[in-house]
Amino acid sequence: MRVLMTGGCGFIGTAIADLMLRRGNQVLNIDKLTYAANPSALQGWMGSDRYRIVKGDICDMAKVLSVFEEFQPDCVIHAAAESSVDRSIDGAAQFLQTNFVGTYTMLEAARHWWAKRKGTYRFHHVSTDEVFGSLGPGDPGVREQTSYAPNSPYAASKAASDHLVRAWGQTYGLPVVTTHSTNSYGPWQFPEKLVPLMITKGAEGEALPLYGAGDNVRDWLHVADHAEAVRVVLEHGNTGETYNVGGSFEQPNVEIVRMICNELDEHMPENAPHERMICHVEDRVAHDWRYAVDTTKIWSDLRWRPEIEFRRGLSRTVDWYLQNRPWWQEIRRKRYRGERLGRKAA
Ligand code: NAD
């Protein structure tokens, strides 16, 4: 299969592209190479005639159309996005541009290309559970048909992109599918996100800044499980449908950070206990209290469920960051020093 990926140098995109390549597919990866991109994550595939990376902006219609014409994809996996809630609070414009206009551009190009070609075709939109907004303690996990209630500029821009995908399916008959996944963790995640931020700061002996009381609850899914869910939905999902994807492992952020501290204690006993480095900082504005998804549909229809148990996945992830210090230390020198983001709202 010829897979046109967007954002294949990002955290999720890298795992999906790697999986599709390991399964024998051809992958063309269009990526703008923003601050969040890690082209080296797919270094092992650079010499392969089944993998190509094109530096390009998904908002650039001419570029995107030329990529479709040249590569002639059988499917699109759209994972390019601006993805940080905190950065979206600092400045929403780029989020609307990439997540909304970029998705529009991809849909239009996909529609034009699809009109010309015969045979099966798929447009897979990678989305997030954050579009459904915040849950209370006893609320059941959101279902696919739950109403949208995004609370951050990031979530609103993703919700808007989801609506475009649905509309292009309904209006033009574009064969679309969408996945809504919970928080993912694993190798190659940019160290501004909770898990790698805590590992990298802990490894450097720095304070571990936790928003508010740290009681916000998230569901956690290993990135390899996320990628496999995308593949299963791409290949076997029903056209026009959306699927929730989750790890069935809900925890308050403070518990996740404590688990990271325990892992760091094992690797770096000289600095134990790392938990003493946890410091509570002013909460994020409009911080959603809890996300959780009901994954009955993807299990009953497609028999997908996560394989990687959280503690095992976290332990491997901590190992990976400790063994790949040069990668994230260079990021911390040149792209992100670990500073607090998302405070401009006040
Ligand atoms: P990321 O920030 O790690 O990577 C985004 C990638 O997109 C980068 O390689 C970047 O260079 C590229 N990109 C950004 N703007 C672009 C543009 N205009 N044109 C081309 N490429 C561009 O993000 P991520 O965490 O990998 O998230 C990818 C997708 O997965 C997002 O849509 C996000 O909503 C979704 N998702 C992520 C998670 C998670 O926990 N990370 C969970 C659920 C859903």
Side-chain angles (χ1 to χ4, degrees), residues 170-206:
Q170 295 288 320
T171 303
Y172 304 112
L174 189 69
V176 294
V177 281
T178 296
T179 41
H180 289 120
S181 169
T182 57
N183 274 33
S184 300
Y185 70 97
W188 299 110
Q189 188 168 29
F190 195 79
E192 65 190 348
K193 305 285 168 62
L194 182 76
V195 168
L197 182 74
M198 296 300 163
I199 299 172
T200 54
K201 279 187 178 284
E204 295 288 69
E206 296 172 14

Side-chain angles (χ1 to χ4, degrees), residues 195-209 260-261 264 268 271 274 277 322 325 328 332:
V195 168
L197 182 74
M198 296 300 163
I199 299 172
T200 54
K201 279 187 178 284
E204 295 288 69
E206 296 172 14
L208 307 176
I260 291 170
C261 288
L264 289 171
M268 304 165 68
N271 294 339
H274 285 80
M277 303 303 286
L322 295 180
R325 280 176 189 256
W328 56 261
R332 286 187 49 140

Side-chain angles (χ1 to χ4, degrees), residues 6-14 30-38 56-59 78-84 94 98 102 125-129 154 158 179-185 188-190 192-193 226:
T6 72
C9 295
F11 169 53
I12 307 289
T14 291
I30 178 165
D31 196 299
K32 189 179 169 185
L33 303 183
T34 68
Y35 78 96
N38 305 303
D57 188 335
I58 55 162
C59 303
H78 177 36
E82 289 292 339
S83 68
S84 156
Q94 193 56 52
T98 291
H125 179 52
V126 179
S127 193
T128 167
D129 61 349
Y154 161 68
K158 289 297 295 184
T179 41
H180 289 120
S181 169
T182 57
N183 274 33
S184 300
Y185 70 97
W188 299 110
Q189 188 168 29
F190 195 79
E192 65 190 348
K193 305 285 168 62
H226 188 160

Side-chain angles (χ1 to χ4, degrees), residues 66-128:
S66 75
V67 165
F68 270 89
E69 282 294 335
E70 192 200 323
F71 185 59
Q72 312 209 340
D74 300 308
C75 64
V76 176
I77 303 177
H78 177 36
E82 289 292 339
S83 68
S84 156
V85 174
D86 286 331
R87 286 178 196 261
S88 81
I89 295 167
D90 287 340
Q94 193 56 52
F95 284 73
L96 294 174
Q97 182 65 17
T98 291
N99 298 358
F100 187 66
V101 177
T103 300
Y104 156 76
T105 310
M106 289 305 301
L107 288 165
E108 272 297 86
R111 177 165 84 86
H112 286 299
W113 165 244
W114 182 55
K116 283 191 196 172
R117 81 184 290 279
K118 304 251 185 298
T120 53
Y121 185 62
R122 254 305 141 85
F123 186 103
H124 186 125
H125 179 52
V126 179
S127 193
T128 167

Side-chain angles (χ1 to χ4, degrees), residues 8-325:
C9 295
F11 169 53
I12 307 289
T14 291
I16 299 172
D18 182 56
L19 174 65
M20 297 313 282
L21 285 161
R22 279 189 282 113
R23 292 183 66 89
N25 299 290
Q26 304 237 14
V27 173
L28 188 143
N29 171 14
I30 178 165
D31 196 299
K32 189 179 169 185
L33 303 183
T34 68
Y35 78 96
N38 305 303
S40 53
L42 291 169
Q43 194 72 41
W45 292 105
M46 289 302 189
S48 165
D49 57 4
R50 289 193 290 109
Y51 177 63
R52 225 180 96 203
I53 176 167
V54 171
K55 183 176 179 191
D57 188 335
I58 55 162
C59 303
D60 178 347
M61 182 67 90
K63 178 89 179 179
V64 170
L65 282 171
S66 75
V67 165
F68 270 89
E69 282 294 335
E70 192 200 323
F71 185 59
Q72 312 209 340
D74 300 308
C75 64
V76 176
I77 303 177
H78 177 36
E82 289 292 339
S83 68
S84 156
V85 174
D86 286 331
R87 286 178 196 261
S88 81
I89 295 167
D90 287 340
Q94 193 56 52
F95 284 73
L96 294 174
Q97 182 65 17
T98 291
N99 298 358
F100 187 66
V101 177
T103 300
Y104 156 76
T105 310
M106 289 305 301
L107 288 165
E108 272 297 86
R111 177 165 84 86
H112 286 299
W113 165 244
W114 182 55
K116 283 191 196 172
R117 81 184 290 279
K118 304 251 185 298
T120 53
Y121 185 62
R122 254 305 141 85
F123 186 103
H124 186 125
H125 179 52
V126 179
S127 193
T128 167
D129 61 349
E130 299 193 33
V131 298
F132 297 109
S134 188
L135 296 176
D139 292 340
V142 297
R143 306 284 304 268
E144 283 76 2
Q145 58 272 38
T146 300
S147 302
Y148 279 32
N151 291 318
S152 69
Y154 161 68
S157 68
K158 289 297 295 184
S161 72
D162 291 0
H163 293 321
L164 290 179
V165 172
R166 178 187 158 84
W168 261 244
Q170 295 288 320
T171 303
Y172 304 112
L174 189 69
V176 294
V177 281
T178 296
T179 41
H180 289 120
S181 169
T182 57
N183 274 33
S184 300
Y185 70 97
W188 299 110
Q189 188 168 29
F190 195 79
E192 65 190 348
K193 305 285 168 62
L194 182 76
V195 168
L197 182 74
M198 296 300 163
I199 299 172
T200 54
K201 279 187 178 284
E204 295 288 69
E206 296 172 14
L208 307 176
L210 200 51
Y211 289 163
D215 55 0
N216 303 67
V217 176
R218 301 291 181 263
D219 173 64
W220 293 92
L221 176 71
H222 194 276
V223 69
D225 279 330
H226 188 160
E228 175 63 8
V230 168
R231 182 194 71 77
V232 168
V233 171
L234 173 78
E235 293 179 3
H236 307 292
N238 288 325
T239 300
E241 303 232 358
T242 66
Y243 295 86
N244 287 343
V245 179
S248 302
F249 188 77
E250 280 186 54
Q251 287 293 318
N253 288 343
V254 67
E255 280 309 318
I256 298 295
V257 176
R258 282 195 188 119
M259 286 184 222
I260 291 170
C261 288
N262 290 340
E263 288 292 330
L264 289 171
D265 288 351
E266 284 189 20
H267 287 277
M268 304 165 68
E270 64 282 9
N271 294 339
H274 285 80
E275 241 186 87
R276 77 193 146 78
M277 303 303 286
I278 295 177
C279 65
H280 294 268
V281 299
E282 185 194 347
D283 206 352
R284 171 191 282 164
V285 62
H287 198 177
D288 284 339
W289 190 72
R290 174 176 166 239
Y291 303 130
V293 296
D294 181 327
T295 54
T296 306
K297 180 176 174 180
I298 194 169
W299 167 241
S300 59
D301 291 6
L302 304 177
R303 286 286 179 259
W304 175 89
R305 67 174 164 208
E307 299 279 326
I308 302 171
E309 189 266 327
F310 182 82
R311 281 178 187 77
R312 187 162 54 92
L314 184 69
S315 174
R316 279 203 244 152
T317 302
V318 172
D319 277 353
W320 187 90
Y321 275 86
L322 295 180
Q323 282 166 22
N324 287 275
R325 280 176 189 256

